[in-house]
Amino acid sequence: MQIEINEQGSEAFYKETVNAAAQYRYILKDHHYKLKDYFKQFRTLLIASLLVLAVNVGLIIAWGGDTIQTAASAVLLVAALMCGVYLFSLHKACKSMMAGWHRSVLTLDESGAELDVPDTQTVKIARKNLAVVRIFNESLCFVPQAGAGVVISVDRKLGAEIPDWIRENWPEAEII
């Protein structure tokens, strides 16, 4: 089976793909793992840590601070920086995927799933190395059992017939 991907996916699709790749190990541990929106979580953590830091610094300025308050401020600053850097890397990955889009072909056959982006790269997950096929709101992801966490992801609208094909041709494959 071959599916030609001639249209770029939506921003929601790319965000979901980045979330799936970031949570790859959780999906491997629990195939029914509910995907979290890391963009929202880390934005919320960043805002919350900055607000608490601002209040803490305000209290230190107003009433004078001790060592514990200063240490707490330093820890909050480090936490805010870590959240900010991770959130930045998530957005950068999403924008990079969107900017690097090319027409591609998804091929499913007896050997496995292969996403071929002509003149750029080819990603293949062997059938025996496939852990699970996950169907999310915007995407359909092929998750390998081992490797560097490379997930093949296609827009769910394009892959409507993929689950039926997999059930028929790869009966051992788990589809969730």
Side-chain angles (χ1 to χ4, degrees):
M1 163 187 237
Q2 282 194 333
I3 297 174
E4 291 188 25
I5 303 168
N6 296 318
E7 295 178 13
Q8 185 173 15
S10 65
E11 185 175 355
F13 162 74
Y14 287 106
K15 282 187 173 186
E16 193 170 80
T17 299
V18 169
N19 276 315
Q23 298 171 59
Y24 166 78
R25 294 192 189 279
Y26 295 111
I27 295 170
L28 279 182
K29 280 175 110 175
D30 177 10
H31 293 178
H32 294 275
Y33 175 79
K34 185 176 184 224
L35 203 60
K36 293 178 174 72
D37 183 356
Y38 274 9
F39 290 89
K40 184 178 179 181
Q41 280 189 337
F42 280 94
R43 185 175 47 251
T44 302
L45 286 171
L46 176 62
I47 291 168
S49 60
L50 288 174
L51 286 174
V52 173
L53 176 63
V55 169
N56 198 30
V57 168
L59 290 174
I60 290 172
I61 291 170
W63 296 332
D66 59 5
T67 307
I68 292 176
Q69 283 181 309
T70 305
S73 292
V75 169
L76 283 167
L77 180 61
V78 169
L81 285 173
M82 289 174 62
C83 287
V85 166
Y86 195 68
L87 184 61
F88 176 78
S89 69
L90 289 172
H91 280 287
K92 185 177 176 184
C94 185
K95 286 180 182 178
S96 174
M97 285 179 158
M98 290 175 76
W101 179 85
H102 293 84
R103 294 180 192 275
S104 55
V105 177
L106 176 69
T107 304
L108 302 175
D109 56 26
E110 287 304 312
S111 64
E114 178 179 280
L115 184 64
D116 181 22
V117 183
D119 301 326
T120 305
Q121 67 180 0
T122 300
V123 179
K124 182 166 181 133
I125 299 174
R127 181 176 166 182
K128 65 182 179 186
N129 192 34
L130 183 67
V132 66
V133 177
R134 285 292 305 265
I135 302 170
F136 298 112
N137 293 334
E138 300 288 331
S139 64
L140 185 142
C141 298
F142 294 86
V143 182
Q145 290 178 5
V150 176
V151 175
I152 294 177
S153 182
V154 294
D155 196 311
R156 188 172 171 184
K157 294 173 223 147
L158 294 174
E161 67 274 3
I162 292 174
D164 293 333
W165 188 93
I166 291 173
R167 284 185 192 99
E168 183 179 319
N169 295 285
W170 300 350
E172 74 283 359
E174 184 178 7
I175 302 172
I176 300 174

